[in-house]
Amino acid sequence: MEWETVIGLEIHAQLATHSKIFSAASTAYGAEANTQACAIDLGMPGMLPVLNAEAVRMAVKLGLATGSEITRRSVFARKNYFYPDLPKGYQISQFELPIVGPGTLEIELKDGTRKQVGITRAHLEEDAGKSLHEDFHGMSGIDLNRAGTPLIEIVSEPDMRSAAEAIAYMKKIHTLVRYLEICDGNMQEGSFRCDANVSIRPVGAAEFGTRTELKNINSFRFVERAINYEVERQIDVLESGGTVTQETRLYDTDKNETRPMRSKEEANDYRYFPDPDLLPVELDEDYIQAIADTLPELPDPKRERFQQEYDLSAYDAGVLSASRELADFYEATVAAAKGTAKLTANWVMGELAGVLNKQSLDIGASRISPEQLGGLVLRIEDNTISGKIAKEVFEAMWSEQQDADTIIEARGLRQITDTGAIESLIDEVIEAHPKQTEQYRGGAEKLLGFFVGQVMKRSQGKANPGMVNKVLRDKLGGS
Amino acid sequence: MSLSEEEVRKIAHLGGLAIRDENIPRYAQSLSSILDLVNQMEAVDTVEIQPMAHPLDAIQRLRPDEVRETDQRAEFQPLAPQVENGLYLVPKVIE
């Protein structure tokens, strides 16, 4: 039987606030255990949550950027369950009236096809603490520093039909939250996490199959693997006459398999009710408009603008607009290079990306500034140096942190464009290689490359290759 | 509406409550009468009524995003039954 995969994603993004969603404790990552867990985060009796204004603002930014409805009156609710990393016995979340309502996001697949994915809702909630399962004399250790960190949970419609679509959607949200500067997107530190609801159904069927929920998958690669594994597993179950059980499954990265996580069926009976400690949040038009006015240019419009304004391919424009920092660096470099857009794109995506990647650095840590790189591009453009010499200059700029002109002058790398100088170099080469000269003149024209090579070598790469070619042909004459 | 003994046990379990078997019929009766009241209210036409999220007719005030709490771990940890390396220890939780 032919099966169709159906996927919906729940993405948890930690909001980049300084303090927690309901307390004034720090959210900084990596502090010593429980030093950032205050009385509110610990669920001490009598403590009252007070909502963080910045968390609300960030949620609204996300809603506006995804074209979603912003709920004018949203309500916090208690989601009740017992787990040691949740000291109150409930998580403050939103249920019936989330702050962000329905919206859509357009994703683009590798083959260029586009698809609309529905966003069901996005709600604010608090993160739980962390359970450490290493052996503490048969006990578990609890660190509540993360408890109360603001999260926005973005819930998609079950609109995705393959792991590739799920990845494209997830990457899109990832790019978006970083553009909006509402989440650092750090997946290793758990700032951006994903649960996937996966089911299969016969192709053409109208009803969905029973789904399983894959929990907390913390990299794009693992999301793809976990979904693909789970789809194969469900096909095996159904094709051998079994039924898929609705359950939560954990993806094991070492074994590349999913396995059931919670067996207690009442685990999902959360008994939500409005939190009496918090009042409804009301947002008016002025507030929402003021936030809309601060939204940066978003990834899609930026990419389109790059294609038009700089005449870049869709691919190049996509790479250069993948993050705001990279896009800003590129635009500053183009400005410094007096609008030489395509050549600048090649250098940013080529040499610069290469050295950053090699040294595991972000664009913000580049040792060459946009102004300096733009200066280098200008010298290639005006034929002061060849592209090959430019790579040498680039390396020197990176290590010595000086601008291109300084290095070109100090090392005498200026390209030789003086016809007289090139002619004398060529005369030397012809004199040194009488045999090849004879062969060339006898019709072996493929030897031209050999002569060009010799001349370039003698000029230490500084002769203008175009001129060398031209003068060589003239001098060698040939048949 | 009458809750079964099994439903009472489930509700107690979800609430993390230990209850005595001999009290279950009484709980079943009390809880059922609450549900009867809810059923009675269901008869009211509420189409035009916005659900009440809070008894106070007020809206949430927001707090500026500033870190104001200091580390009070040394005061909190003695309240816990067991701690180690700054962690609160609990009976092993296995997923």
Side-chain angles (χ1 to χ4, degrees):
Chain A
M1 188 182 285
E2 286 284 313
W3 298 97
E4 180 180 55
T5 304
V6 175
I7 304 162
L9 295 183
E10 293 168 15
I11 292 174
H12 288 86
Q14 278 185 356
L15 296 174
T17 55
H18 302 296
S19 65
K20 294 187 177 175
I21 183 167
F22 298 119
S23 85
S26 171
T27 55
Y29 181 83
E32 211 182 307
N34 289 307
T35 54
Q36 291 175 178
C38 71
I40 292 176
D41 307 326
L42 293 178
M44 289 290 176
M47 294 299 117
L48 279 176
V50 187
L51 184 57
N52 186 333
E54 193 61 18
V56 173
R57 210 178 65 84
M58 288 177 172
V60 172
K61 275 173 102 172
L62 178 87
L64 291 170
T66 51
S68 302
E69 283 174 29
I70 307 298
T71 312
R72 299 305 192 261
R73 184 174 182 274
S74 67
V75 170
F76 284 94
R78 292 185 179 181
K79 177 180 179 178
N80 299 280
Y81 65 95
F82 289 113
Y83 205 75
D85 59 23
L86 187 75
K88 296 192 296 298
Y90 58 86
Q91 177 192 28
I92 305 178
S93 181
Q94 296 190 302
F95 188 55
E96 284 173 325
L97 294 166
I99 187 158
V100 174
T104 50
L105 198 69
E106 186 178 79
I107 57 167
E108 189 176 315
L109 302 171
K110 286 211 174 83
D111 64 4
T113 53
R114 293 178 180 208
K115 176 170 180 166
Q116 304 289 326
V117 176
I119 291 173
T120 313
R121 56 185 280 159
H123 61 258
L124 281 169
E125 62 184 23
E126 57 180 341
D127 208 343
K130 268 184 195 162
S131 306
L132 302 163
H133 301 294
E134 296 102 76
D135 199 18
F136 295 97
H137 335 289
M139 308 196 56
S140 290
I142 306 293
D143 177 6
L144 294 169
N145 281 348
R146 199 179 67 179
T149 298
L151 293 177
I152 184 128
E153 178 175 338
I154 307 151
V155 182
S156 85
E157 290 289 305
D159 284 348
M160 288 154 277
R161 294 291 173 268
S162 66
E165 288 184 15
I167 299 295
Y169 169 84
M170 193 175 167
K171 284 193 169 161
K172 188 87 188 238
I173 297 270
H174 190 249
T175 302
L176 203 55
V177 296
R178 284 178 304 139
Y179 255 75
L180 297 170
E181 294 175 330
I182 62 172
C183 172
D184 66 18
N186 189 324
M187 296 174 85
Q188 283 83 42
E189 293 178 3
S191 304
F192 190 86
R193 324 193 280 267
C194 179
D195 301 340
N197 290 304
V198 179
S199 65
I200 58 168
R201 62 180 172 186
V203 169
E207 305 232 320
F208 292 131
T210 305
R211 65 184 158 86
T212 58
E213 184 179 6
L214 310 180
K215 273 278 179 200
N216 269 343
I217 329 172
N218 66 355
S219 85
F220 294 116
R221 196 158 40 108
F222 290 153
V223 169
E224 185 158 24
R225 284 194 196 164
I227 290 172
N228 286 334
Y229 172 86
E230 182 59 16
V231 167
E232 288 306 313
R233 189 192 69 84
Q234 291 186 11
I235 290 174
D236 286 348
V237 168
L238 293 179
E239 291 193 342
S240 61
T243 51
V244 174
T245 314
Q246 183 168 342
E247 62 188 355
T248 303
R249 298 178 70 90
L250 196 69
Y251 177 66
D252 184 326
T253 53
D254 295 330
K255 295 181 184 159
N256 186 30
E257 63 174 33
T258 66
R259 58 169 182 270
M261 194 163 124
R262 288 181 190 137
S263 51
K264 286 175 284 178
E265 57 195 57
E266 63 267 28
N268 283 321
D269 195 345
Y270 293 127
R271 295 150 295 140
Y272 284 95
F273 63 86
D275 191 329
D277 287 344
L278 289 153
L279 292 155
V281 177
E282 287 192 1
L283 306 175
D284 61 29
E285 300 309 317
D286 290 348
Y287 174 87
I288 294 167
Q289 188 56 48
I291 294 172
D293 292 342
T294 66
L295 284 188
E297 184 182 29
L298 295 174
D300 286 349
K302 196 185 282 282
R303 188 176 66 169
E304 274 165 37
R305 181 169 64 79
F306 277 16
Q307 279 182 257
Q308 284 165 10
E309 192 174 331
Y310 301 125
D311 202 21
L312 299 178
S313 68
Y315 176 81
D316 288 358
V319 171
L320 291 168
S321 61
S323 82
R324 237 170 114 173
E325 293 76 15
L326 183 62
D328 290 348
F329 190 101
Y330 171 69
E331 292 206 89
T333 308
V334 173
K338 301 195 163 49
T340 314
K342 179 61 190 155
L343 190 57
T344 298
N346 292 344
W347 278 85
V348 171
M349 296 191 302
E351 296 300 309
L352 184 67
V355 67
L356 290 171
N357 198 21
K358 206 160 137 191
Q359 302 191 15
S360 300
L361 296 174
D362 289 330
I363 185 77
S366 169
R367 287 168 61 87
I368 297 177
S369 71
E371 291 69 30
Q372 290 172 328
L373 187 59
L376 176 66
V377 171
L378 272 182
R379 292 298 158 259
I380 304 166
E381 185 68 11
D382 69 10
N383 281 322
T384 304
I385 51 172
S386 66
K388 198 174 167 203
I389 291 287
K391 291 188 181 177
E392 186 185 330
V393 176
F394 180 89
E395 279 172 27
M397 287 169 73
W398 184 270
S399 52
E400 294 165 27
Q401 290 192 285
Q402 281 181 317
D403 59 40
D405 287 342
T406 310
I407 286 162
I408 292 165
E409 290 311 319
R411 301 193 177 193
L413 295 172
R414 192 172 279 276
Q415 186 160 241
I416 302 168
T417 51
D418 173 54
T419 315
I422 289 175
E423 279 180 347
S424 65
L425 280 170
I426 288 171
D427 290 341
E428 283 171 41
V429 169
I430 289 174
E431 203 182 312
H433 300 91
K435 201 173 136 208
Q436 284 86 348
T437 307
E438 198 181 313
Q439 285 171 345
Y440 180 89
R441 287 179 173 150
E445 289 193 9
K446 63 175 194 273
L447 277 171
L448 185 70
F450 165 79
F451 285 104
V452 173
Q454 290 300 313
V455 175
M456 293 308 289
K457 200 168 154 189
R458 264 173 204 260
S459 76
Q460 292 164 309
K462 291 187 286 185
N464 179 299
M467 291 180 68
V468 170
N469 257 286
K470 188 177 167 295
V471 179
L472 256 176
R473 282 180 198 275
D474 291 348
K475 288 222 172 240
L476 286 167
S479 50
Chain B
M1 177 103 197
S2 187
L3 286 172
S4 69
E5 192 175 305
E6 206 44 51
E7 285 167 320
V8 173
R9 284 188 201 280
K10 189 186 172 189
I11 292 164
H13 176 74
L14 286 171
L17 300 171
I19 54 173
R20 291 179 200 278
D21 283 353
E22 66 260 33
N23 289 332
I24 290 178
R26 188 157 62 85
Y27 294 144
Q29 203 188 17
S30 305
L31 291 170
S32 296
S33 68
I34 293 171
L35 293 178
D36 287 341
L37 180 66
V38 173
N39 282 338
Q40 214 177 321
M41 290 193 290
E42 291 234 58
V44 182
D45 180 6
T46 56
V47 174
E48 301 289 314
I49 296 171
Q50 187 182 34
M52 185 176 71
H54 200 278
L56 295 181
D57 184 21
I59 59 165
Q60 183 64 40
R61 300 232 342 227
L62 303 179
R63 166 180 64 80
D65 180 28
E66 289 164 10
V67 176
R68 288 184 183 166
E69 292 283 353
T70 52
D71 172 21
Q72 298 186 73
R73 189 176 78 175
E75 278 74 40
F76 291 133
Q77 298 229 312
L79 304 174
Q82 221 176 327
V83 294
E84 188 173 313
N85 294 336
L87 296 164
Y88 295 97
L89 296 193
V90 297
K92 193 144 188 100
V93 273
I94 304 163
E95 304 237 293

